[in-house]
Amino acid sequence: MSSEGQRVSFRPQRTRKVCIAAAVAVLVLFTFIGTALTEVGEGVFRTGDQYAMIGLGVVFALAIMAVARPRVEADADGVRVRNIIGGYELPWGAVRAINIERNQPWMSLELENDDTVSVLAVQAVDRAYALQAVQSLRALRAAARAEQPAPAVS
């Protein structure tokens, strides 16, 4: 199998759907609260307070959507991992193994320097999709390793 021109990209499926639904629900709830409440007991919600409530809804919805941010992209040159916070760009030569264990919530990359990089974009709850992602990434890694010249032994 030639890895020339092949590029794969994966994002979490189920988590993404849940985050979208939750973000919409939070935004609708805060918008309703912001527009419906004008007086609470002795306190009064002014127009600025109502806009602030809606603004808080937007901020919370964006925070929820950050959980759906992870992505992994790979091609013949290497793999790029974007998690909720931060990311990695690794050549295939640095990746020793691609694992997703039975009790592990997401995939991980075992590196040649004995470090481990969690890949939140490939989650065990996505089952068949996760299996496809692992197989695709392993195939790209194997093809890239096969194309690399063997290291010289002296």
Side-chain angles (χ1 to χ4, degrees):
M1 172 181 156
S2 174
S3 59
E4 290 298 317
Q6 187 176 8
R7 183 182 182 99
V8 295
S9 178
F10 297 97
R11 299 184 82 164
Q13 298 296 297
R14 187 175 291 176
T15 301
R16 203 169 150 79
K17 291 174 187 173
V18 169
C19 287
I20 290 170
V24 168
V26 164
L27 188 57
V28 167
L29 177 68
F30 273 79
T31 301
F32 175 75
I33 291 171
T35 56
L37 292 179
T38 54
E39 292 185 22
V40 177
E42 307 240 346
V44 175
F45 270 70
R46 293 192 169 81
T47 305
D49 300 328
Q50 292 174 323
Y51 286 131
M53 257 329 224
I54 295 169
L56 276 175
V58 170
V59 169
F60 290 149
L62 290 173
I64 291 169
M65 287 306 298
V67 175
R69 181 179 184 265
R71 172 186 291 248
V72 61
E73 295 176 338
D75 55 22
D77 298 325
V79 61
R80 286 157 299 288
V81 177
R82 181 178 73 187
N83 287 326
I84 295 171
I85 299 174
Y88 303 90
E89 188 165 341
L90 303 164
W92 285 120
V95 179
R96 181 185 306 151
I98 299 169
N99 301 317
I100 187 160
E101 304 294 329
R102 184 173 295 274
N103 295 325
Q104 193 176 13
W106 45 74
M107 185 180 85
S108 64
L109 302 175
E110 185 179 326
L111 305 182
E112 290 292 342
N113 65 1
D114 293 329
D115 279 347
T116 301
V117 173
S118 295
V119 181
L120 277 60
V122 180
Q123 299 182 355
V125 297
D126 291 331
R127 299 185 191 267
Y129 182 77
L131 181 62
Q132 176 193 0
V134 170
Q135 290 172 342
S136 297
L137 292 171
R138 284 180 178 165
L140 275 171
R141 180 187 165 277
R145 289 267 178 139
E147 292 173 4
Q148 290 178 347
V153 178
S154 37

